[in-house]
Amino acid sequence: MGRSSILLMGILFTCCWAAMADAEYMKYKDPKQPINTRIKDLMNRMTLEEKIGQMTQIDRTVASNEVMKKYYIGSVLSGGGSVPAKQASAETWINMVNDFQKGSLSTRLGIPMIYGIDAVHGHNNVYKATIFPHNVGLGATRDPVLVKKIGVATALEVRATGIPYVFAPCIAVCRDPRWGRCYESYSEDHKIVQAMTELIPGLQGDIPSNSPKGVPFVAGKQKVAACAKHFLGDGGTTEGINENNTVISRHGLLSIHMPAYYNSIIQGVATVMISYSSWNGVKMHANRDLITGYLKNTMRFRGFVISDWEGIDRITSPPHANYTYSILTGITAGIDMIMVPSNYTEFIDGLTSLVKNNFIPMSRIDDAVKRILRVKFVMGLFENPLADYSMTKYLGAQEHRELAREAVRKSLVLLKNDESADNPLLPLPKKASKILVAGSHADNIGNQCGGWTIEWQGLSGNITAGTTILTAIKNTVDPKTEVVYIEKPDAAYVKSEKFSYAIVVVGEPPYAETFGDSLNLTIPEPGPSTIKNVCGAIRCVVVLITGRPVMIQPYVDTITALVAAWLPGTEGQGVADVLFGDYGFTGKLSHTWFKTVDQLPMNVGDKHYDPLYPFGFGLTTKPTKVT
């Protein structure tokens, strides 16, 4: 009896041990398993509730450890200016992200959430981050290698705050500068935009040569998942009105606005964001033909498709008028993750009801969740879900600031340098007895960074670490040169003071999205008055800080030299580097500079093309040792 009891106990122990081992071994948690095997294993374990949670992205303002756990939330984001604290440190960011992540990891299956943020010209929400020139300036560099380096630096700074996903690059083709997002576009020419998709391998890492087309790729803990946006035609709306209707043939849409998406997908972009705009009257968030038919089926994109902020709400007019219809239409169109961002329970309940009542097939939900999980597995989130503090050193790193300074130098476009070639004003002499610096943008970090900086709309003032153009000028001139700064000098004063020359720095105030839409594209006062008062009295160089070509024709004859500096970001020293001849001007216009707004839209190749400065224009100077 004793021996059979021992034998029976042994058999039971062996069976229990085998059962426990089997229960503990989950293929989806094994990094040695192929990704498709891991996805299949995890999908087989998930309930509808867990799947719909994965499709939901909420803003950090409504997120918490408990919310992540209760609703199985798949993603959290920071909208523009949505930060854990004013001037928050990298450590504060990491603590917040990790707290949300711990909520996700404590769920039944422990699926990590993915945290996303707008890092559209560097890690622009974060205090003391390096702010690079906006895309409008980078397009003028014609330098994809430089843009790739900016991607590498941005990924490091984003990871420094514990974040693994960025809503960048914007690969819109801005066909009309009246659009308030034109500065987010590299060019009116799709070929330049295509070249600048090099930002993607900078952010994500170089895709392996044997990788199948369309499969997302992210190369480890120092890289971030990227997002090509906004699909499709966002830069071609009527009169440049943001979120408006793009009226164009299918051939035109595919030949102008689609090409950069081919490049992005070949480079392994992880996600694609849908545009608020419409194409020939059909909202893009509702366009199944282009999202599922073209992006997913024809181009074989295998990452996930994400909506814009409350993007499905805007399928109806007014927004949110019939939210059940919006959910049904957006999900059926092929959107995989919905940026809710605050009223997430309404979305979860609505989508659950639509699936349970057979309005949305389970196959559509499974397609969405597979794509989201694929990106999470590719990123290594299951192996390394929590951020550590070892990367905080990269935030605002000196080598990144040097790279941004180089980008500023290469982005400057010289539009005029005196009429007579034998007497150019630029490069400026460093040794001068007294020089005047004037203008609202000369000593203002916020103005030179533009929108999407610290806050969604940007801010005027010295809002983060960096070098203003005034400080850069003082750093560059001879120590004996007197630099006088007066923001709005009058003409009589300028004439009376015996200045050697003047530098006038004026332009647009910060703005983002619809707030930047402009039908007249004029520089606001006191910009024009400052140009008139200073340049009417003395030889001057006007440095324009703008997100696009603006109305400058009335003042050109008064101005000795004219420089388009776009929105250069925090490293104003790059402007002085070129003004004073340490480096030459090399930038070329990637957007046509119009004479009057009545000509718009006007793009290179148009039949009636009569610009003030044509696409590709840019005077050059050689570096000099001039004193």
Side-chain angles (χ1 to χ4, degrees), residues 197-259:
T197 59
E198 278 298 303
L199 188 83
I200 292 166
L203 292 166
Q204 297 192 157
D206 290 307
I207 193 164
S209 55
N210 61 348
S211 183
K213 181 187 168 188
V215 175
F217 176 76
V218 183
K221 291 192 284 186
Q222 295 198 329
K223 297 295 180 182
V224 293
C227 179
K229 65 182 191 182
H230 308 85
F231 187 88
L232 183 70
D234 48 344
T237 58
T238 302
E239 295 185 338
I241 297 168
N242 192 42
E243 306 181 20
N244 203 20
N245 190 25
T246 298
V247 181
I248 194 170
S249 68
R250 188 177 182 90
H251 172 75
L253 187 78
L254 298 185
S255 60
I256 294 171
H257 298 283
M258 187 69 85

Side-chain angles (χ1 to χ4, degrees), residues 54 59 62 64 78 97 123 126 253 283 375 387 446 515 527 557 590:
Q54 284 301 303
D59 187 71
V62 296
S64 69
S78 274
V97 175
H123 200 8
V126 177
L253 187 78
K283 292 273 189 181
V375 171
F515 293 90
D557 288 345
S590 60

Side-chain angles (χ1 to χ4, degrees), residues 76 139 209 320 354 435 476 501 583 612:
V76 180
S209 55
H320 207 82
L354 286 165
I435 64 174
T476 307
Y501 55 82
Y583 294 82
L612 181 62

Side-chain angles (χ1 to χ4, degrees), residues 427-453:
L428 298 168
K430 293 179 185 177
K431 283 187 177 175
S433 57
K434 186 161 70 167
I435 64 174
L436 173 65
V437 180
S440 51
H441 289 52
D443 194 29
N444 195 308
I445 290 281
N447 282 0
Q448 71 191 40
C449 288
W452 291 109
T453 311

Side-chain angles (χ1 to χ4, degrees), residues 11 75 89 109 169 265 324 355 381 388 395-396 409 538 545 554 600:
I11 292 166
S75 184
S89 66
L109 295 169
I265 289 164
T324 303
V355 175
L381 268 183
D388 60 42
L395 187 69
R409 292 195 293 259
I538 189 174
I545 306 295
L600 299 175

Side-chain angles (χ1 to χ4, degrees), residues 480-542:
K480 292 176 185 169
T481 299
E482 185 185 351
V483 178
V484 177
Y485 172 58
I486 301 174
E487 189 176 328
K488 294 179 283 186
D490 62 52
Y493 169 79
V494 177
K495 284 175 182 167
S496 69
E497 284 296 312
K498 293 188 177 175
F499 292 110
S500 304
Y501 55 82
I503 302 169
V504 177
V505 191
V506 293
E508 296 185 296
Y511 56 80
E513 299 190 52
T514 305
F515 293 90
D517 287 357
S518 171
L519 291 177
N520 57 34
L521 291 173
T522 51
I523 303 167
E525 285 291 353
S529 300
T530 306
I531 292 171
K532 185 179 171 188
N533 290 347
V534 177
C535 300
I538 189 174
R539 292 189 92 203
C540 76
V541 53
V542 171

